[in-house]
Amino acid sequence: MLLRASEELAQTSGLEDVRRRLRDLFVGAGKPTYVGLLVAGEDELHRVPDPDIAHAVERAVLTLPADAAFPSTQALRERRTVFVPDREAMVADYSPEAVGFFDRMGFATVLCLPLWGSRALLGVLAICWTKRHEVNVAERATLTAASGYIAQAVERALYLDERISVARELQAAMLTDLPHTDHVEISALYEPATVGDMIGGDWYDAYHLPRASASDGEPTALMVTVGDITGHDMHAATIMGQIRSMLRQATLDHPPYSPAAALTALDTACSVLPIEAGGTLVHARLDPTADSPDWTLTWSNAGHPPPLIRTHDGRVDLLEEHDILFHKDLGPLHRTEARRRLPAGSTLLLYTDGLVERRSHDMHATVAQLVTLLARLGDRPLDELLHRISNRLTDPSPEDDVVLLAVRTPVIAQR
């Protein structure tokens, strides 16, 4: 069992994974009926529920105050192993709530082992049997040794879960809210990779450009960007935040807000500043057309997967014009841009390569699937459209971030 514990728990990736592996760790003679993992919080013990099996224990109680008269909380408070051999000992030493709980669960014998991390007590391992079970010296020594492996896995899992939580908060802070507009619909979706730090260099951005002379009730031009910094770790996310801010500044500093001019300025800055930046992006501007329900799309593509346009009649076109990717070592480049008229009711779809590029798959075939999906589903509400596309094309455990951004022009001009 100790060998199995050392092997099974060595590569766990989070508390759910640790809890899942505990389920089948204790086998053979004297196998316990239930093994519970409780993690210490501030003056509390939190039960980690089994992600796959809704055990009655976990439905009954998920959190216990540290001062509750339960065997598990006693093990936490007194920092020692607590053994309850039978119901008589439970009635004599613990609260009526504890007795009632163990009666409902049908437990007869309970062993609670503290889980010691490198710096602190992490929680408690609760091992329960429905029939009276004698835990001899050899078995207690084995279970105590196993709890050491479990504690190591819990400590690593807590660190990884905290790091992932911080990474997700950082990603959420970097992915700004989409602008409010009454003139176009806009929606975005971000799906993190399930490897590494579960954060990366993919991003989306959208913001209004300053008004020239239009009255308050008329549409204003809109900038939209989807990009991908190489890598999917904290470093890539940090670089992404810098590049996104630099591109915003470059755009607003270069009226009439040419996407190509902004990207050229970004290339120049990256070639001079000490930023290890490289990746791909599409930077685009949408302008309302005077006296027409149509809009105009102007874009510059730095080596990014081609955007898609779906017109109101269901036809989908790939916008394949592009320049090379951006990288600090490529030096300043003269970026080009293309222009396309968007009929009323058109949908623009931008995405990152995590949606269409993966091992053992032909990227062109996946893009063709995307075209088909957009043609078939493109009249759905944008939030629903993006989720349907992601659910259909994204791997269940993606190795790369996925970003989608969609903008839909109104079928009837609002003026």
Side-chain angles (χ1 to χ4, degrees):
M1 189 190 75
L2 293 180
L3 177 61
R4 187 166 58 251
S6 65
E7 292 176 343
E8 282 290 316
L9 298 170
Q11 301 299 323
T12 50
S13 57
L15 279 179
E16 277 196 357
D17 193 18
V18 175
R19 180 65 185 87
R20 181 179 287 113
R21 292 170 189 260
L22 279 181
R23 188 195 310 143
D24 301 319
L25 187 61
F26 301 89
V27 297
K31 177 182 176 180
T33 306
Y34 173 78
V35 178
L37 177 62
L38 300 100
V39 175
E42 187 174 350
D43 299 323
E44 290 178 327
L45 263 182
H46 303 281
R47 189 178 303 276
V48 180
D50 191 310
D52 304 316
I53 299 175
H55 196 284
V57 174
E58 294 161 0
R59 289 197 300 268
V61 58
L62 285 175
T63 300
L64 286 171
D67 60 359
F70 275 65
S72 55
T73 53
Q74 182 185 11
L76 178 72
R77 290 192 306 270
E78 299 180 5
R79 299 170 178 262
R80 66 176 180 86
T81 298
V82 171
F83 179 59
V84 184
D86 51 36
R87 188 179 187 279
E88 288 73 18
M90 179 69 69
V91 171
D93 297 331
Y94 300 98
S95 67
E97 292 79 12
V99 174
F101 172 74
F102 283 92
D103 282 347
R104 290 195 303 275
M105 297 302 111
F107 295 148
T109 299
V110 179
L111 179 69
C112 292
L113 299 159
L115 297 174
W116 285 99
S118 58
R119 298 182 180 179
L121 182 60
L122 304 173
V124 174
L125 183 71
I127 305 174
C128 308
W129 292 265
T130 53
K131 295 181 179 179
R132 182 185 173 100
H133 182 75
E134 295 296 333
V135 181
N136 60 34
V137 173
E139 185 177 9
R140 182 177 293 207
T142 302
L143 293 173
T144 301
S147 73
Y149 290 115
I150 295 166
Q152 291 176 21
V154 168
E155 186 167 42
R156 183 171 60 251
L158 289 171
Y159 169 76
L160 291 174
D161 287 349
E162 175 64 21
R163 181 167 178 170
I164 289 169
S165 176
V166 170
R168 286 176 171 169
E169 289 180 12
L170 173 62
Q171 186 84 47
M174 288 182 172
L175 297 174
T176 52
D177 293 336
L178 296 172
H180 173 73
T181 174
D182 293 328
H183 305 290
V184 297
E185 297 177 59
I186 184 168
S187 181
L189 178 67
Y190 172 80
E191 297 283 356
T194 57
V195 297
D197 291 326
M198 295 184 72
I199 186 174
D202 290 24
W203 87 95
Y204 61 81
D205 200 7
Y207 48 92
H208 290 294
L209 291 174
R211 293 179 182 274
S213 58
S215 64
D216 290 342
E218 293 193 353
T220 56
L222 183 72
M223 297 299 303
V224 294
T225 311
V226 163
D228 181 4
I229 299 297
T230 303
H232 42 83
D233 52 23
M234 292 288 283
H235 177 71
T238 302
I239 297 298
M240 176 270 284
Q242 293 176 285
I243 293 297
R244 189 199 62 168
S245 297
M246 290 166 62
L247 183 57
R248 278 188 164 201
Q249 187 68 44
T251 302
L252 296 173
D253 276 353
H254 292 82
Y257 314 115
S258 157
L263 279 182
T264 299
L266 178 67
D267 283 329
T268 301
C270 288
S271 67
V272 175
L273 299 174
I275 299 176
E276 294 294 327
T280 68
L281 65 89
V282 172
H283 192 45
R285 189 182 78 238
L286 290 98
D287 294 281
T289 303
D291 302 319
S292 170
D294 298 348
W295 287 61
T296 299
L297 172 69
T298 307
W299 77 96
S300 186
N301 186 331
H304 201 76
L308 277 66
I309 290 289
R310 181 192 187 273
T311 52
H312 190 55
D313 60 6
R315 190 184 76 240
V316 176
D317 293 328
L318 285 172
L319 307 183
E320 299 188 273
E321 297 86 346
H322 67 88
D323 300 322
I324 65 172
L325 56 79
F326 71 92
H327 192 280
K328 64 179 293 292
D329 294 334
L330 296 178
L333 300 169
H334 178 70
R335 295 288 177 178
T336 63
E337 63 187 23
R339 188 169 285 106
R340 168 82 175 255
R341 196 172 183 91
L342 299 184
S346 295
T347 300
L348 168 68
L349 179 67
L350 307 177
Y351 54 96
T352 55
D353 61 1
L355 181 70
V356 295
E357 187 177 45
R358 60 189 61 91
R359 296 175 189 175
S360 73
H361 283 73
D362 179 9
M363 179 175 172
H364 296 290
T366 310
V367 170
Q369 284 183 271
L370 176 59
V371 169
T372 301
L373 284 172
L374 183 58
R376 182 163 55 89
L377 303 173
D379 57 352
R380 303 292 181 96
L382 290 186
D383 287 347
E384 179 186 346
L385 171 65
L386 297 187
H387 279 94
R388 282 176 173 262
I389 289 174
S390 178
N391 291 339
R392 182 67 179 271
L393 295 183
T394 304
D395 281 343
S397 299
E399 297 182 0
D400 197 3
D401 298 3
V402 174
V403 159
L404 296 102
L405 184 143
V407 181
R408 179 177 292 153
T409 62
V411 176
I412 300 175
Q414 302 176 15
R415 296 195 180 268

